[in-house]
Amino acid sequence: MKSNVPARIDMSGPMPRHVAVIMDGNGRWARRQGLPRKTGHEAGMNAVRTTIEASVDAGIKILTLFAFSTDNWNRPSEEVSALMSLLKAYAERECSELVEKGVEVRVLGTLARMQPSAREAVERIMRETEGGTTLRLNLMISYSGREDILTAVRRLAARARAGELDPAEIDEACLERALLTSGIPDPDLLIRTSGECRISNFMLWQISYSEIHITPVLWPDFSRDDLFAAVLDYQRRDRRFGRITSA
Ligand code: IPE
Ligand code: IPE
Ligand code: MG
C-alpha cells in the first residue's frame, strides 16, 4: 500500500540519528510474482542501496540493517547459500561506491559461522570503508539480540570470576560496552517492512525506547519515499522516556 504523495521530511525538525531496519518480505515479494525466493533477496539488495542513499540525503548518521539472523541459519541450505553468495557479491560490488560516499561499514554478528569466502568479503569491506564519516552502516549478519546479550553476560561473568570486575558494579553502561553495538547510540527509529508486528530477536537491549514504524511495503519495494515517510512519522512522535513531557 503506497501513498502517491511523496513524504517530505521536516529538515529542521528532529532527525533520527540512528535508524535500524528489519528488512523483511523478500520471499513474499518473489512468491507474488511466481519467482524463486532467491530473486526476492536479489531485489532486496537494490532496496539496500536506495536506503543508504536516502539516509545520507536525510542526514541520518547511523543506519543498521538486519540482513541475516542467527535463526535464519535454520532455513533450507540452498536459501542460506544463496543469501551468503549475495552478501559476498554485495560487499565486493558496492565497496568502492561506499568509500566514495563516506560510508563506514561494520558487520556485526557471529561471523565465524559464515563461509570463509563470504567472511573475507565482509571483513574486506570493513577494512576498506574504515574512516568514512558521512554514514555509519551496521550490517547485522548472523546476529540475534538474545545471543548478543548472552555473550556479553558470559564475558562479564568471566571477568568477575577472574576478580577484575565487582558484580555490584555491573550497570547498564557496563553491559552496553560488552555488546556488539558497544559505543553506538541506541536506534531512535526502528522500521520493519512487510507488515509483521514483531521484533524477531533484533537488538532487544538497544530498542528499549526506539520509536517503531511498521510498513506493509515488502523490502524489495522499499523506496526513498518509504524511508522519508518513516522519518516523518518519527518526527510526529512524542518521545517521553517515562516522563510526562517530551524529552
Ligand atoms: C527478509 O525476507 C530477508 C531475510 C530474512 C534474510 P524474508 O526471506 O524473511 O521474506 P519473507 O518474510 O519470507 O517474505
Ligand atoms: C527477521 O526476519 C530477520 C531479518 C530481517 C534478517 P524473519 O523473516 O527471519 O523473521 P520472522 O521469521 O518472520 O519472525
Ligand atoms: Mg521474513
Side-chain angles (χ1 to χ4, degrees):
M1 202 171 42
K2 279 195 165 182
S3 157
N4 293 324
V5 185
R8 215 169 276 153
I9 309 174
D10 176 1
M11 291 304 279
S12 62
M15 194 58 74
R17 178 164 55 156
H18 182 178
V19 175
V21 188
I22 302 174
M23 310 185 289
D24 197 17
N26 295 351
R28 277 162 283 168
W29 182 92
R31 195 180 59 220
R32 279 182 197 175
Q33 298 172 71
L35 298 167
R37 290 178 62 85
K38 179 176 181 268
T39 312
H41 297 310
E42 280 164 5
M45 293 297 173
N46 297 328
V48 169
R49 170 189 274 263
T50 305
T51 303
I52 293 169
E53 285 170 358
S55 298
V56 169
D57 292 346
I60 291 161
K61 296 310 289 179
I62 307 165
L63 177 67
T64 298
L65 300 178
F66 198 11
F68 189 87
S69 76
T70 306
D71 301 310
N72 290 151
W73 287 114
N74 299 321
R75 292 189 179 194
S77 61
E78 328 81 269
E79 179 162 349
V80 171
S81 303
L83 278 161
M84 288 300 138
S85 306
L86 269 173
L87 284 167
K88 178 174 175 281
Y90 172 84
E92 288 168 352
R93 195 181 59 229
E94 305 285 320
C95 192
S96 57
E97 208 177 313
L98 292 171
V99 171
E100 219 168 90
K101 288 196 176 91
V103 178
E104 181 177 60
V105 182
R106 307 303 314 159
V107 180
L108 306 180
T110 310
L111 302 191
R113 286 186 74 174
M114 293 176 82
Q115 294 154 356
S117 65
R119 185 179 170 170
E120 278 156 25
V122 299
E123 282 169 348
R124 196 173 325 120
I125 201 172
M126 286 197 273
R127 269 196 316 274
E128 292 185 11
T129 61
E130 198 174 340
T133 53
T134 310
L135 177 78
R136 159 84 181 248
L137 173 66
N138 301 310
L139 289 179
M140 312 306 266
I141 299 176
S142 189
Y143 171 86
S144 105
R146 283 192 175 184
E147 187 180 54
D148 192 14
I149 293 168
L150 267 176
T151 307
V153 166
R154 263 188 226 117
R155 202 172 300 147
L156 296 181
R159 283 179 51 207
R161 189 174 58 184
E164 297 163 13
L165 180 69
D166 177 355
E169 281 170 15
I170 298 175
D171 57 8
E172 290 195 9
C174 182
L175 182 60
E176 194 274 305
R177 280 195 298 276
L179 295 171
L180 287 166
T181 51
S182 171
I184 303 170
D186 290 342
D188 300 295
L189 171 62
L190 171 68
I191 300 171
R192 182 165 187 152
T193 58
S194 88
E196 304 293 359
C197 299
R198 56 177 173 264
I199 299 300
S200 303
N201 211 347
F202 187 51
M203 297 185 99
L204 299 177
W205 174 272
Q206 298 87 341
I207 60 166
S208 58
Y209 275 103
S210 303
E211 295 297 329
I212 301 177
H213 174 91
I214 294 170
T215 169
V217 174
L218 301 175
W219 179 249
D221 289 329
F222 192 78
S223 67
R224 185 180 187 84
D225 279 347
D226 293 318
L227 178 75
F228 290 174
V231 171
L232 196 61
D233 183 21
Y234 170 85
Q235 293 187 317
R236 292 174 178 149
R237 302 282 177 92
D238 182 16
R239 302 188 80 188
R240 291 189 293 276
F241 299 93
R243 299 182 177 89
I244 58 170
T245 51
S246 297

